[in-house]
């Protein structure tokens, strides 16, 4: 073996330490910036790929849902271009959300209509994801349908259903799978002590042993044309109005919080020591704060309005920055992207807004907050019609004052379908023992 | 030389260099407080903050997650044995490690937590003969049986079994990694060329006496108090089953 001088060893050690610092799991972190705290290998530098889970559109290509990979590294020759697309076949399944396993090697993605869960290998070749497994028996095995949130647990994936197989209503539950795709357990959403049984998002604060869930609506509503739905007063009553605090270790609900108007995405502050989470209510257009009071009792309270609630701007996705001081909020109906100063989470202040599309839904930001990505589609039957039915991924640079466009992929023009959820990929990690693994196959 | 052989040779050189660098980092950082003996619990170190009272043992279920995989391993004397000899018959806490790992949130943290758990189990007569710890290397090239013997030299004899195991080769190791769902990665540069030391998600597996994984812990949830409660929960469950038979 080559002998190193002391100076070279020191340099090497520093390099190794830096490499380690870049790849160790963060004990308190979440993502870039909304992944499970159990997820390792957060991308804190430049992301290379944007994975987009796109809804199939009848008559467009094979009409099936697709995982689309976009090169988003500005240093790349194919920056801003689609470099890979992978159809899961079987027609439109209502592609919606995705989530990485704890080791970021696999990406789970769900269809809200067909309840199929597609598992992609994104670790072997991050530029070219492979479909390695499809779970098609969620409804039969659990009674729940509409797999929505995919939340990494150690060695497992917790999947939040939106509805049930019996009546298509909003009463649902969560299904826990091993990372190999075997069902481990099911957990019904609370229907007593104020619980409405509805589900939507999951977010965990490990150091408090707390899991927080939110609530949306059932399949009969989310698969219905939005124009019809809003005219049906009875149907409009069937939206979630609660969040639930769970004992994470025991997986038992501890308290139901009243949060009217369909509280959707949940984001914990990622700042060390913070114990608060924030959510946006879709129908009432409010920001709500969830935190313990002075007595340690978990409470939820309204802390801000988003746009003009009377006009129902329909807040959808939110994205919190890495230190919990700022929050992006997309509102679907007016196509606006808003930024709230969260320095005082009790009193969020909107400090910026701009129209980023005729309809906007998901929003993701890089770890450092300087790159922001926006997707257009909400649900196949809720997206707008005609010329307003833009389907895109748009990249922006955020300098703290202004969002500046950087690239756009037109999903209509490229016949990719409706652009929904986004996750980041990186080529900087590769599996060890690839040769041994390959030779076994 | 074929491309695959070249790649193997390249990976081998990189991993060897990475191990040397990681060892240098460990030496520089003096990161070996983990080799303390069992007489006292180790300091908290890099352990995650625990700001809650865990639910009492036996008040919650621990579901069957998967069967622990089996395969050939090497003990400290270099004897080949089936892993199942170390994952059944007792409640087992198993973690993958490599001796040159210096990531404070990785193997050293697991080592520290294992010490704490072992110390506390040793004080519980009803548990100490029913619990085993297993540290299994995922770096067979460097963690030979003799290297593992050196690694565990600081571990004091105690009433609670702690097995240190390795494998003959990556070919023997990979099925165990895949069976447990344990990733091992190596950092790469922008061109995909390996750069530095091995990296992995720290996972610790709690396995019941029948060889079924019942809980998995990662860095954000690696609390000795929770692990002890889980061990006690499995013990209570098996005691109930024995009574019913």
């Amino acid at each position: 073996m080559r002998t190193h001088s002391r100076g070279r060893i020191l340099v090497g050690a520093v390099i190794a330490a830096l490499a380690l610092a870049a790849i160790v799991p963060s004990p308190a972190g979440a993502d870039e910036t909304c992944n499970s705290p159990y997820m390792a290998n957060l991308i804190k530098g430049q992301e290379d790929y944007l994975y987009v889970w796109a809804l199939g559109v009848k008559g467009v290509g094979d009409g099936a849902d697709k995982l689309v990979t976009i090169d988003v590294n500005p240093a790349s020759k194919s920056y801003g271009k689609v470099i890979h697309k992978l159809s899961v076949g079987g027609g439109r399944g209502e592609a919606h959300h995705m989530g990485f396993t704890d080791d970021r090697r696999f990406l789970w993605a769900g269809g809200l209509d067909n309840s199929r869960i597609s598992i992609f290998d994104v670790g072997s070749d991050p530029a070219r994801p492979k479909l390695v497994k499809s779970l098609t028996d969620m409804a039969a095995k659990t009674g729940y349908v509409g797999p929505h949130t995919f939340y990494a647990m150690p060695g497992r994936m917790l999947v939040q259903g939106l509805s049930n197989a019996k009546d298509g209503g909003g009463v649902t539950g969560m299904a826990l799978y091993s990372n190999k795709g075997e069902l481990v357990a099911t957990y019904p959403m609370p229907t007593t002590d104020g619980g409405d049984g509805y589900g939507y998002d999951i977010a965990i604060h490990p150091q408090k042993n707390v899991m927080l869930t939110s609530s949306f609506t059932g399949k009969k509503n989310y698969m219905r044309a939005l124009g019809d739905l809003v005219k049906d007063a009875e149907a409009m009553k069937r939206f979630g109005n609660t969040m639930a605090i769970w004992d994470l270790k025991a997986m038992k609900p501890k308290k139901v919080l009243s949060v009217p108007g369909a509280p959707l995405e949940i984001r914990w502050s990622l700042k060390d020591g913070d114990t608060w989470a924030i959510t946006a209510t879709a129908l009432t257009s409010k920001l709500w704060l969830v935190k313990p009071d002075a007595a340690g009792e978990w409470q939820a309270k309204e802390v801000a309005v988003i746009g003009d609630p009377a006009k129902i701007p329909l807040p959808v996705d939110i994205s919190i920055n890495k230190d919990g001081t700022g929050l992006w909020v997309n509102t679907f109906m007016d196509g606006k992207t808003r930024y709230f100063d969260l320095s005082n989470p009790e009193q969020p202040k909107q400090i910026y807004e701009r129209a980023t599309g005729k309809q906007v839904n998901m929003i993701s930001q890089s770890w450092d907050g300087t790159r922001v990505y926006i997707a257009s589609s909400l649900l196949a039957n809720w997206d707008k019609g005609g010329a307003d039915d833009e389907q895109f991924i748009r990249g922006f640079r955020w300098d703290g004052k202004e969002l500046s466009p950087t690239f756009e992929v037109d999903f209509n023009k490229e016949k990719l379908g409706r652009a929904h959820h986004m996750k980041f990929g990186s080529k900087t990690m590769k599996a060890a023992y690839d040769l041994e693994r390959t030779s076994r196959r | 030389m074929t491309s695959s052989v070249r790649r193997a040779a390249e990976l081998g050189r990189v991993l060897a260099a990475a191990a040397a660098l990681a060892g240098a980092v460990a030496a520089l950082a003096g990161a070996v407080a983990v080799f303390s003996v069992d007489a006292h619990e180790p300091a908290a170190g890099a352990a995650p903050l625990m700001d809650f009272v865990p639910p009492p043992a036996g008040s919650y279920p621990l579901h069957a997650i998967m069967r622990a995989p089996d395969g050939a391993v090497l003990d400290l004397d270099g004897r080949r044995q089936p892993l199942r000899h170390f994952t059944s018959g007792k409640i087992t806490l198993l973690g993958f490690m490599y001796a040159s790992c210096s990531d404070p949130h990785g193997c050293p943290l697991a080592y520290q937590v294992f010490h704490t758990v072992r110390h506390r189990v040793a004080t519980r007569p009803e548990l100490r003969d029913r619990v085993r710890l297993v540290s299994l290397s995922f770096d067979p090239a460097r963690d030979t049986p003799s290297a593992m013997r050196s690694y565990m030299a600081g571990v004091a004899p105690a009433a609670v079994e702690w097995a240190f195991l390795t494998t003959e080769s990556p070919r023997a190791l990979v099925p165990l990694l895949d069976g447990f769902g344990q990733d091992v990665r190596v950092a790469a540069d922008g061109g995909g060329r390996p750069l530095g030391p091995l990296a992995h998600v720290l996972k610790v597996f709690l396995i019941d006496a029948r060889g079924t994984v019942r809980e998995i812990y990662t860095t954000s949830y690696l609390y000795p108090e929770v692990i002890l409660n889980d061990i006690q929960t499995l013990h209570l469950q098996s005691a109930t089953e024995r009574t019913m038979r």
Side-chain angles (χ1 to χ4, degrees):
Chain A
M1 178 182 287
R2 194 169 50 187
T3 303
H4 295 280
S5 69
R6 183 182 297 270
R8 289 177 69 188
I9 289 177
L10 279 169
V11 170
V14 169
I15 292 170
L18 290 172
L20 277 169
I23 56 182
V24 296
S26 168
D31 94 288
E32 328 82 37
T33 57
C34 73
N35 290 308
S36 161
Y38 300 110
M39 215 190 82
N41 306 313
L42 298 181
I43 301 170
K44 296 189 175 180
Q46 172 66 51
E47 56 279 4
D48 293 305
Y49 310 116
L50 188 71
Y51 303 123
V52 184
W53 188 216
L55 294 74
V57 176
K58 193 174 181 180
V60 176
D62 66 358
D65 297 343
K66 293 175 185 62
L67 186 66
V68 177
T69 305
I70 300 173
D71 184 333
V72 293
N73 189 330
S76 171
K77 290 178 180 173
S78 52
Y79 173 65
K81 307 293 184 191
V82 173
I83 58 170
H84 189 255
K85 55 187 176 183
L86 178 57
S87 168
V88 296
R92 178 176 62 81
E94 192 71 34
H96 206 75
H97 280 200
M98 305 185 283
F100 291 108
T101 51
D102 54 357
D103 53 16
R104 210 177 183 125
R105 289 190 294 168
F106 297 94
L107 181 60
W108 291 43
L112 291 187
D113 193 10
N114 64 6
S115 293
R116 181 165 70 179
I117 297 170
S118 302
I119 303 176
F120 300 97
D121 173 359
V122 292
S124 298
D125 183 353
R128 302 178 62 82
K130 292 188 289 285
L131 179 66
V132 293
K133 195 164 195 172
S134 296
L135 307 180
T136 57
D137 57 1
M138 179 183 180
K141 283 194 169 179
T142 70
Y144 308 138
V145 300
H148 182 268
T149 293
F150 295 86
Y151 204 84
M153 305 277 281
R156 285 149 289 177
M157 183 65 81
L158 186 60
V159 181
Q160 173 70 68
L162 287 188
S163 190
N164 66 78
K166 189 176 177 183
D167 65 8
V171 177
T172 188
M174 294 173 284
L176 182 66
Y177 291 88
S178 72
N179 277 359
K180 298 178 191 300
E182 300 295 325
L183 182 65
V184 173
T186 58
Y187 306 98
M189 305 308 288
T191 54
T192 59
D193 301 320
D196 50 26
Y198 286 25
Y200 182 81
D201 201 12
I202 300 167
I204 288 173
H205 194 307
Q207 285 74 41
K208 300 293 284 186
N209 190 41
V210 162
M211 180 170 70
L212 184 58
T213 55
S214 56
S215 56
F216 180 41
T217 192
K219 187 173 179 180
K220 284 192 294 193
N221 274 359
Y222 68 69
M223 289 307 297
R224 190 172 174 184
L226 184 60
D228 290 340
L229 176 63
V230 297
K231 295 172 189 167
D232 184 340
E234 284 304 309
M236 289 302 291
K237 291 177 184 174
R238 293 192 284 273
F239 278 83
N241 294 300
T242 61
M243 300 180 78
I245 295 282
W246 298 64
D247 178 327
L248 171 64
K249 180 64 194 175
M251 287 298 282
K252 293 175 182 170
K254 290 174 66 177
K255 183 177 183 180
V256 174
L257 306 168
S258 176
V259 184
L264 300 184
E265 308 289 336
I266 307 168
R267 303 288 179 260
W268 287 100
S269 170
L270 308 182
K271 183 181 175 186
D272 281 344
D274 275 1
T275 55
W276 56 265
I278 198 157
T279 189
T281 52
L283 302 183
T284 47
S285 206
K286 306 276 178 64
L287 288 177
W288 284 71
L289 184 69
V290 178
K291 60 179 287 191
D293 61 18
E297 184 76 12
W298 287 93
Q299 309 288 357
K301 67 176 180 179
E302 175 191 328
V303 289
V305 297
I306 304 162
D308 179 358
K311 296 179 180 174
I312 312 181
L314 204 60
V316 276
D317 197 19
I318 59 178
S319 177
I320 197 166
N321 67 5
K322 65 181 181 182
D323 56 6
T325 58
L327 184 78
W328 290 105
V329 179
N330 268 359
T331 45
F332 180 77
M333 297 305 290
D334 59 11
K336 286 186 175 176
T337 297
R338 296 172 161 86
Y339 190 76
F340 285 79
D341 178 350
L342 282 185
S343 302
N344 178 2
E346 304 272 351
Q347 295 181 312
K349 296 267 190 290
Q350 184 184 315
I351 58 172
Y352 177 81
E353 74 174 44
R354 73 167 279 173
T356 50
K358 291 178 177 172
Q359 56 185 5
V360 295
N361 182 21
M362 304 308 293
I363 181 163
S364 297
Q365 64 182 303
S366 57
W367 182 257
D368 66 5
T370 62
R371 296 175 299 282
V372 176
Y373 304 90
I374 291 175
S376 51
S377 178
L378 175 52
L379 289 157
N381 295 327
W382 290 27
D383 284 357
K384 297 178 180 178
D388 287 344
D389 189 20
E390 293 180 329
Q391 294 299 338
F392 59 79
I393 293 293
R394 287 179 179 154
F396 295 87
R397 174 156 290 280
W398 171 246
D399 62 6
K401 295 179 180 176
E402 185 66 37
L403 276 178
S404 306
T406 51
F407 75 89
E408 174 175 349
V409 175
D410 185 331
F411 271 51
N412 281 331
K413 186 177 175 184
E414 300 207 20
K415 302 186 184 310
L416 297 169
R418 301 177 181 275
H420 195 90
H421 205 196
M422 301 169 285
K423 288 289 181 186
F424 297 156
S426 170
K427 59 185 172 188
T428 59
M429 297 296 290
K430 63 180 294 183
Y433 307 126
D434 263 356
L435 295 176
E436 289 76 12
R437 192 165 276 110
T438 302
S439 67
R440 290 176 61 231
R441 290 178 183 141
Chain B
M1 188 184 283
T2 66
S3 62
S4 62
V5 172
R6 278 197 299 273
R7 282 174 58 206
E10 178 192 17
L11 184 59
R13 283 195 299 273
V14 169
L15 291 177
L21 290 174
V25 172
L28 285 167
V32 251
V34 294
F35 291 97
S36 59
V37 295
D38 292 89
H40 303 287
E41 290 191 10
L49 172 70
M50 177 174 164
D51 189 16
F52 65 92
V53 177
S59 68
Y60 53 88
L62 288 170
H63 298 288
I65 299 171
M66 61 184 177
R67 290 289 298 171
D70 194 16
V73 294
L74 300 178
D75 65 16
L76 291 179
D77 295 319
R79 290 176 302 211
R80 189 187 301 168
Q81 301 205 46
L83 179 61
R84 65 176 180 277
H85 286 182
F86 301 93
T87 56
S88 59
K90 290 184 177 182
I91 297 168
T92 301
L93 197 62
L94 181 147
F96 286 90
M97 45 68 66
Y98 63 109
S100 56
C101 176
S102 60
D103 166 10
H105 297 296
C107 312
L109 171 61
Y111 197 98
Q112 174 186 315
V113 170
F114 273 40
H115 265 288
T116 301
V117 169
R118 189 182 192 223
H119 175 79
R120 294 188 191 177
V121 168
T123 66
R124 309 274 289 270
E126 79 280 14
L127 289 180
R128 62 188 175 208
D129 293 331
R130 300 178 185 276
V131 174
R132 167 200 300 123
L133 309 180
V134 176
S135 292
L136 175 56
S137 172
F138 52 50
D139 190 5
R142 275 162 292 276
D143 291 345
T144 60
S146 62
M148 292 296 283
R149 187 178 289 282
S150 300
Y151 179 75
M152 60 84 65
V155 177
V160 181
E161 178 187 356
W162 191 346
F164 288 80
L165 305 172
T166 188
T167 49
E168 287 182 307
S169 65
R171 184 177 286 269
L173 171 67
V174 163
L176 300 178
L177 293 174
D178 289 349
F180 277 107
Q182 174 69 64
D183 72 317
V184 183
R185 299 185 182 204
V186 58
D189 64 14
R193 291 176 292 273
L195 269 180
L198 295 174
H200 62 109
V201 175
L202 173 61
K203 290 184 181 178
V204 173
F205 302 85
L206 181 65
I207 305 166
D208 68 20
R210 295 176 180 174
T212 298
V213 176
R214 303 290 291 275
E215 183 58 287
I216 304 171
Y217 313 92
T218 51
T219 304
S220 292
Y221 214 71
L222 196 63
Y223 302 121
E225 293 82 357
V226 173
I227 295 171
L228 279 162
N229 273 6
D230 290 350
I231 289 172
Q232 181 69 13
T233 295
L234 290 183
H235 173 64
L236 290 170
Q237 183 180 328
S238 58
T240 302
E241 289 169 357
R242 285 194 299 273
T243 303
M244 293 175 68
R245 279 200 291 268

